[in-house]
């Protein structure tokens, strides 16, 4: 009698999309919810900016009246001028200091790990804490000026925090201290990714360190430089808590920035429509920075794909 061997059919393989469903749910559901939240509230803010809303949202249509009022106000004009000064000085100086720190650490010095941690430490501190601490350091009656006076140098003067013309530079100093470590980390990663064979070939040809950096290393950091500039510009445009904690927009309104104008209109003057208009103007400034960067990244990816 022949024993019949029964072969149990295997389970059919699950489709690819079924097996990856948990991955899709974990990634796309929060992403879509965040995008819906961002888009819906942006559209709501845009709608409010065209209404006569004050303390609470109301229906109605006033056209561009809120925008013209904001653009004609002295607060916004000073805030926009300060943004140009703060943004350009902060971006250039933080990128330059971050690059200098990255070049220093790229020399394979003995205390590299310790110094890298020290330079990155400010990133772990909130902007409110940064602003508060720097307000103590720059206060003429409490900080650096008082310390130097106590040491016997009575003619020393460092009262930028209460000087209408120099107060904006205190924000620049605090922001550079906060963000230089971030620029350093990106530049250091770029320096470590430069092909060592190209550098060795240049050294064999007799190129010195300065020429190697100027002709080989720094040009290769161009994409990282653009990324650093765009990210720092985004921070400069949306800066609020640092200024709020450091100068509160003062002396007077000498250090007003657009985010403080939005806060003042919405929460202190109860002019919701004008505050929304100022927020939309901030969004347009931000898009003027991000959209060209996104287009540049798209072109770079297309070139890399066709290379």
């Amino acid at each position: 009698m022949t024993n019949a061997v029964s072969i149990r059919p295997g389970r059919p393989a699950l489709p690819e999309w079924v097996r990856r469903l948990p991955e899709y749910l974990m990634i796309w559901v929060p992403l879509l919810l965040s995008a819906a939240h961002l888009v819906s509230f942006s559209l709501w803010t845009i709608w409010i900016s065209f209404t006569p809303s004050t303390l609470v949202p109301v229906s109605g249509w006033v056209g561009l009246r809120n925008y013209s009022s904001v653009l004609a106000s002295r607060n916004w004009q000073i805030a926009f001028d300060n943004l140009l000064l703060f943004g350009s000085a902060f971006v250039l100086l933080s990128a330059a200091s971050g690059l200098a720190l990255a070049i220093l650490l790229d020399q394979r010095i003995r205390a590299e790990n310790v110094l890298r941690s020290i330079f990155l430490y400010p990133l772990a501190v909130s902007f409110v804490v940064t602003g508060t601490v720097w307000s103590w350091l720059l206060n003429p009656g409490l900080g650096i000026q008082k310390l130097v006076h106590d040491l016997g140098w009575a003619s020393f003067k460092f009262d930028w925090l209460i000087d209408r013309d120099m107060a904006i530079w205190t924000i620049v100093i605090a922001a550079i201290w906060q963000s230089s470590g971030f620029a350093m980390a990106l530049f250091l990663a770029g320096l470590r990714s430069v092909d060592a064979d190209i550098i060795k070939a240049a050294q064999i040809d007799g190129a010195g360190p300065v020429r190697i950096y100027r002709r080989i290393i720094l040009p290769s950091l161009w994409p990282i430089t653009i990324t650093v500039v765009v990210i720092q510009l985004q921070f400069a445009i949306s800066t609020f808590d640092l200024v709020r904690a450091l100068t509160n927009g003062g002396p007077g309104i000498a250090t007003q920035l657009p985010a403080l104008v939005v806060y003042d209109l919405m929460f202190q003057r109860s002019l919701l429509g004008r505050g929304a208009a100022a927020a939309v103007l901030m969004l347009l400034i931000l898009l003027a920075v991000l959209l060209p960067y996104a287009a540049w990244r798209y072109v770079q990816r297309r070139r890399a794909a066709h290379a």
Side-chain angles (χ1 to χ4, degrees):
M1 182 176 179
T2 305
N3 294 330
V5 179
S6 60
I7 301 176
R8 187 176 181 180
R11 299 179 62 182
L14 294 174
E16 177 70 14
W17 70 269
V18 175
R19 289 189 289 110
R20 301 192 64 178
L21 184 59
E23 176 185 344
Y24 293 149
L25 292 176
M26 292 181 63
I27 296 176
W28 285 104
V29 171
L31 184 62
L32 291 176
L33 289 176
S34 299
H37 177 271
L38 177 63
V39 172
S40 60
F41 275 94
S42 297
L43 294 176
W44 183 82
T45 302
I46 294 173
W47 173 74
I48 290 294
S49 68
F50 292 104
T51 66
S53 302
T54 53
L55 183 61
V56 294
V58 296
S59 60
W61 182 262
V62 295
L64 298 176
R65 190 175 70 186
N66 288 327
Y67 290 92
S68 60
S69 298
V70 170
L71 292 173
S73 66
R74 184 167 176 263
N75 281 15
W76 179 263
Q77 293 172 2
I78 292 177
F80 187 75
D81 292 341
N82 286 338
L83 178 61
L84 294 178
L85 175 60
F86 168 68
S88 56
F90 161 67
V91 170
L92 292 177
L93 295 177
S94 64
S97 58
L99 179 60
L101 293 175
I103 293 175
L104 170 66
L105 293 180
D106 194 46
Q107 307 308 310
R108 311 289 181 178
I109 58 179
R110 181 173 299 177
E112 176 184 339
N113 292 334
V114 176
L115 291 176
R116 186 169 59 234
S117 300
I118 293 174
F119 297 150
L120 287 173
Y121 173 76
L123 287 176
V125 181
S126 70
F127 290 111
V128 174
V129 174
T130 297
T132 302
V133 172
W134 277 97
S135 68
W136 295 339
L137 292 175
L138 299 175
N139 189 315
L142 298 174
I144 297 174
Q145 178 174 297
K146 185 177 184 302
L147 175 63
V148 177
H149 286 180
D150 292 341
L151 294 176
W153 190 1
S155 61
F156 178 79
K157 188 176 183 180
F158 189 49
D159 58 351
W160 289 7
L161 193 64
I162 59 175
D163 188 332
R164 298 178 65 90
D165 296 326
M166 301 300 296
I168 188 66
W169 292 101
T170 64
I171 302 174
V172 174
I173 293 172
I176 291 173
W177 179 85
Q178 179 88 17
S179 302
S180 291
F182 169 76
M184 178 212 69
L186 293 184
F187 281 126
L188 184 60
L191 290 173
R192 296 286 167 84
S193 65
V194 177
D195 192 350
D197 293 336
I198 299 178
I199 298 177
K200 290 181 181 178
Q203 291 173 340
I204 294 174
D205 291 339
V210 176
R211 189 175 183 182
I212 291 175
Y213 271 96
R214 184 165 57 89
R215 295 293 184 89
I216 299 175
I217 297 179
L218 293 183
S220 67
L221 296 179
W222 180 243
I224 294 178
T225 303
I226 294 177
T227 302
V228 170
V229 168
V230 170
I231 294 176
Q232 302 289 52
L233 277 176
Q234 179 183 356
F235 162 74
I237 294 170
S238 59
T239 297
F240 171 78
D241 41 6
L242 177 62
V243 183
R244 180 73 173 173
L246 180 55
T247 65
N248 197 22
I253 57 173
T255 56
Q256 284 271 34
L257 287 177
L260 269 77
V261 175
V262 175
Y263 174 82
D264 176 63
L265 291 172
M266 282 191 169
F267 300 106
Q268 293 184 320
R269 301 190 186 185
S270 298
L271 298 174
L272 193 59
R274 291 188 186 183
V280 173
L281 291 174
M282 277 188 60
L283 177 61
L284 294 178
I285 297 173
L286 192 60
L287 290 178
V289 173
L290 295 181
L291 290 181
Y293 175 70
W296 175 78
R297 292 286 296 175
Y298 175 76
V299 172
Q300 292 294 108
R301 287 196 297 267
R302 290 292 299 270
R303 288 179 178 176
H306 292 291

